[in-house]
C-alpha cells in the first residue's frame, strides 16, 4: 500500500503532567518521565508532556482536583491517596491484604478492573491508565521491634493513605508526614515508626539510624499500582494516534517501573542489613490480627459505600482465583528456587 | 511551542512478522497482534505490520534464519527454540531453574540482560525487544504419576527447546512433536508425557483424557520471556518515531501477555481439576535431581561455550540477588495471603 501524498499532520500538543511524587524518587517519579519521553519520541516531538514534581503545579494530594477541573491535563499518582474523597479510590492502587503486582495488573488489564475504576472515575472527569507498580513494599522502620499485635496499640505510625484505617482499628495512631520530615520526627520520638516504600527508596531517607528495626512485608501494599489520571475532555480532544500513544506508553512505563524496583531493591536491602539494621518479618500473629482488622473495615465499607462494594466484590473474586493459581504453580516454583542452599 | 507549518510526513512502511506460534494460541500468538495493532494505531496506519502464524511465511523454527537473511523484517518467538544454533539463545527465553517472570523482565530491562543478548544476536543481524511472558509453566501431562527421579528414566517426553538437554541427562528421552500431534502420540503410547504451556493453552489440547496426571511446576520455564526479533538493517532504516513505537508497543505487549495468562489460567486449571485430572506437584526429590542435572549441564557449557558463559555469569549473579529479595518480601506477603483459610 501507498500512503496518500497529502495527509494531515498530527497537531502539536503540549500537556502538563502533575506528579504526586518528589523528583528524588527516580523510580516512582521517574515513571512519568519514561512515559512522557516515549510519547515525545513517538510523535516526533509534536505531542509533548512536561513532567512536574509534587508541589510544582499543585500539592501532591491536589492532583485529582487538578485533573477534574482541567487545570492540568494529566497526573501520575497513587490512587489510595484519595480515599478521603471516596474509599473506592484505594482499590485502584493498593488495599491491605490485596493483590500482588502481577495479580493487580491481570485484574486491571484482563479482568474487569480498568473498566470498573474508570466508571467510578467518570464523576471526577478522569480516565485512568496503568502507570507502574512498586511490588510488595516493606513494612517500615520501627524504633522498637514489633513482637505482637499489642505493640501496635498506641503506635504513632507514619503510614500513607488508606492503610491508616486498618492501623486505627488495631489501636495504632496513623500519622501523615511528608517524606522529608520523617527522619526528624523519628529522631525526636514524635513518631514511633514510619513506612515509606521499599529498600531502594527508603535507603535515601537514612531511617536506620533512628529506627533500626525494618519489618516486612508491608501488608497494606502487596503491590501498589500507580496510575496516570487523564482529564476526559483533554483526552477526547486528542487525535486517535495520540490516544494510542498514551495507551502504549503507559504500558511501557508500567513494566519499566516494576523492573526498576526489582533490579534495584536487592542491593539496597543488602546494604541496609549490612549497616546494622535488623531486617525482620512481622510475626504471623501480627499479620493475622492485621488481616482481621482489614476484613472488619471492608465489611463496614460494603454496607456503607456502594461504589466500594461494586468494585471490591469483583476484585475479591478475582483475587481468590489468583491465590488459587499462584499457590499451585508460581509458589511451588519460587519456593523451590528460594530453598536452594548456596545458589 | 508551535510545530513547523510544513513537516515531512513519516513514511508508509509495511513489514511482515513471522510468528513461531499457531493462531489457536490467542495468548502467545496474540502478543504479536497486540503489538502490531498498537503500532498501526499510533502511526495512523502508516506503519503496518502484518502478522503471520507459524508455517505461513516460514516454519516455526525458521524465523531466526528468516530475520537474519531479511526475508522477514520481524519475528515473534521463544528464544530457546534456537539452542541448537547456540545454547546462549536459551538464556534470552527461559532456562531450567531460571528466573521467574518479573525477575527476567528486571534483568532484561534494568540489569545487563537486553544489552548482553543483543550483543550476542548481532551475529544473526537481530535486535531483540521484549515480547511477553507466560509466567511459570506447568510441568505437563503424564500417563503415569511421577513419584521419584527414577520415573524420568526412559520417559519419552515431548518437551520444547533447551530443557531436553537436562531431561536427557536424567535418562529421559526428549521428543520433538508439534502441538497438533501430541494428543494422538499420547493416546497411542508413542510418548509417555508431554508438556505444553499452562492450563489455559493446555486445555485446548484435551490431553487429560489420555494422560491424566498433570504435574507442576515446569521447572524448565519458571517464566518464559518471548521476544520480538527485528532485522537490524530494517530497524536502522526506520525513522526515529517508528523505532520508538516498536519499543513502546513491545513493552505494552509484554505486560499484556502476562496479564492475560494470569487472568485466564485459574479458571482453566479449576476446570481441568474438575474433569478428573490429578493435579500434582513434582516430588521435591524430582526437583532436586532435575536441579542437579541442570547444574551439570551449565558447568559443561561454561567450559565449552564462551558466549553462553558471558551471558549466564551475569544472569546467575542477577538471579542470586533476585532470590534473596523475593525470599524476604514478596514470598512473605504471598505466602501469608496463600495461607488464609476461606479467603
Amino acid at each position: 500500500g501507498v500512503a496518500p501524498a497529502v495527509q494531515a499532520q498530527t497537531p502539536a500538543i503540549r500537556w502538563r503532567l502533575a506528579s504526586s511524587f518528589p523528583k528524588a524518587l527516580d523510580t516512582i517519579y521517574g515513571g512519568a518521565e519514561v512515559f512522557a519521553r516515549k510519547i515525545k519520541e513517538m510523535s516526533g516531538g509534536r505531542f509533548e508532556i512536561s513532567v512536574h514534581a509534587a508541589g510544582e503545579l499543585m500539592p501532591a494530594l491536589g492532583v485529582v482536583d487538578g485533573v477534574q477541573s482541567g487545570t492540568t491535563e494529566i497526573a501520575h499518582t497513587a490512587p489510595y491517596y484519595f480515599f478521603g474523597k471516596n474509599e473506592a479510590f484505594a482499590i485502584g492502587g493498593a488495599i491491605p491484604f490485596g493483590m500482588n503486582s502481577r495479580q493487580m495488573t491481570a485484574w486491571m488489564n484482563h479482568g474487569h478492573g480498568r473498566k470498573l475504576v474508570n466508571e467510578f472515575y467518570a464523576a471526577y472527569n478522569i480516565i485512568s491508565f496503568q502507570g507502574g507498580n512498586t511490588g510488595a513494599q516493606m513494612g517500615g522502620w520501627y524504633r522498637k521491634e514489633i513482637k505482637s499485635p499489642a505493640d501496635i496499640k498506641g503506635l504513632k505510625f507514619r503510614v500513607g493513605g488508606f492503610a491508616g484505617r486498618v492501623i486505627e482499628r488495631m489501636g495504632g495512631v496513623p500519622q501523615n508526614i511528608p517524606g522529608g520530615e520523617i527522619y526528624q520526627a523519628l529522631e525526636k520520638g514524635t513518631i514511633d515508626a514510619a513506612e515509606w516504600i521499599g529498600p531502594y527508596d527508603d535507603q535515601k531517607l537514612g531511617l536506620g539510624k533512628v529506627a533500626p528495626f525494618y519489618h516486612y512485608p508491608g501488608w497494606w501494599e502487596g503491590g501498589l499500582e500507580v496510575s496516570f489520571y487523564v482529564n476526559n475532555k483533554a483526552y477526547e480532544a486528542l487525535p486517535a494516534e495520540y490516544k494510542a500513544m498514551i495507551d502504549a506508553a503507559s504500558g511501557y512505563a508500567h513494566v519499566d517501573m516494576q523492573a526498576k524496583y526489582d533490579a534495584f531493591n536487592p542491593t539496597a536491602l543488602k546494604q541496609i542489613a549490612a549497616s546494622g539494621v535488623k531486617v525482620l518479618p512481622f510475626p504471623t500473629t501480627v499479620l493475622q490480627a492485621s488481616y482481621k482488622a482489614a476484613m472488619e473495615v471492608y465489611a463496614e465499607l460494603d454496607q456503607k459505600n456502594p461504589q466500594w462494594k461494586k468494585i471490591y466484590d469483583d476484585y475479591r473474586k478475582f483475587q481468590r482465583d489468583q491465590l488459587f493459581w499462584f499457590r499451585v504453580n508460581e509458589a511451588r516454583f519460587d519456593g523451590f528456587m528460594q530453598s536452594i542452599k548456596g545458589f
Side-chain angles (χ1 to χ4, degrees), chain A:
Chain A
V2 173
V6 178
Q7 188 166 2
Q9 183 74 357
T10 48
I13 290 183
R14 299 283 177 278
W15 277 12
R16 298 186 313 166
L17 182 150
S19 172
S20 289
F21 311 110
K23 272 207 175 107
L25 299 179
D26 58 308
T27 43
I28 197 165
Y29 171 82
E33 293 188 313
V34 167
F35 168 82
R37 190 181 315 122
K38 197 53 69 184
I39 287 179
K40 186 176 176 181
E41 289 170 9
M42 293 194 287
S43 66
R46 291 189 291 281
F47 185 11
E48 195 159 357
I49 301 174
S50 60
V51 177
H52 302 271
E56 251 182 71
L57 300 179
M58 57 194 70
L61 304 189
V63 303
V64 163
D65 295 340
V67 172
Q68 184 171 6
S69 66
T71 304
T72 189
E73 292 88 359
I74 180 168
H76 189 229
T77 192
Y80 58 37
Y81 288 153
F82 310 97
F83 77 97
K85 290 180 183 288
N86 188 317
E87 293 90 350
F89 269 100
I91 309 174
I95 57 174
F97 301 99
M99 287 194 265
N100 71 19
S101 176
R102 263 175 61 181
Q103 295 163 354
M104 187 71 182
T105 299
W107 178 63
M108 281 291 197
N109 294 13
H110 283 285
H112 305 126
R114 184 67 60 202
K115 180 175 168 289
L116 286 169
V117 299
N118 276 343
E119 281 174 13
F120 166 69
Y121 291 148
Y124 302 88
N125 303 331
I126 288 171
I127 299 171
S128 73
F129 294 85
Q130 58 191 332
N133 200 300
T134 62
Q137 298 196 9
M138 291 291 282
W141 304 82
Y142 296 77
R143 285 161 55 100
K144 292 183 186 163
E145 185 180 345
I146 298 295
K147 295 181 176 171
S148 82
D151 294 331
I152 306 294
K153 291 203 200 308
L155 189 83
K156 283 174 281 181
F157 183 31
R158 186 272 169 207
V159 57
F162 179 63
R165 289 280 178 91
V166 180
I167 297 293
E168 265 176 343
R169 182 166 296 254
M170 298 175 74
V173 187
Q175 307 279 311
N176 191 4
I177 296 178
E181 298 169 23
I182 294 175
Y183 186 96
Q184 209 174 14
L186 278 171
E187 192 180 30
K188 286 187 179 168
T190 315
I191 58 174
D192 304 306
E195 65 88 41
W196 185 233
I197 299 179
Y200 178 75
D201 294 329
D202 287 12
Q203 196 178 23
K204 296 175 183 167
L205 300 182
L207 304 182
K209 288 176 200 155
V210 286
F213 299 94
Y214 195 27
H215 281 292
Y216 63 88
W219 45 260
W220 47 91
E221 314 181 69
L224 166 61
E225 181 152 330
V226 182
S227 283
F228 291 105
Y229 282 172
V230 181
N231 174 273
N232 56 3
K233 278 188 194 149
Y235 180 76
E236 290 308 333
L238 291 177
E241 290 92 331
Y242 292 177
K243 286 181 183 170
M245 287 179 195
I246 285 183
D247 199 25
S250 77
Y252 180 82
H254 187 72
V255 66
D256 186 76
M257 186 190 293
Q258 183 64 74
K260 194 178 269 184
Y261 272 112
D262 287 339
F264 295 174
N265 273 327
T267 301
L269 184 59
K270 280 190 214 174
Q271 290 170 348
I272 286 168
S275 76
V277 166
K278 292 218 191 315
V279 181
L280 299 166
F282 281 123
T284 301
T285 54
V286 170
L287 293 181
Q288 286 167 335
S290 307
Y291 177 74
K292 183 168 171 289
M295 294 308 113
E296 288 170 14
V297 170
Y298 299 169
E300 286 179 13
L301 286 173
D302 280 348
Q303 297 298 318
K304 281 196 304 202
N305 184 338
Q307 290 166 308
W308 164 280
K309 181 171 166 48
K310 182 177 181 186
I311 304 175
Y312 184 64
D313 277 356
D314 186 79
Y315 177 103
R316 177 90 178 188
K317 182 171 176 298
F318 194 91
Q319 186 181 8
R320 192 175 294 133
D321 280 354
Q322 291 295 302
L323 288 173
F324 161 75
W325 165 236
F326 274 70
R327 187 187 287 126
V328 169
N329 202 34
E330 297 282 344
R332 179 80 180 154
F333 180 76
D334 286 347
F336 180 77
M337 292 309 301
Q338 290 165 7
S339 76
I340 298 168
K341 304 291 181 207
F343 183 91

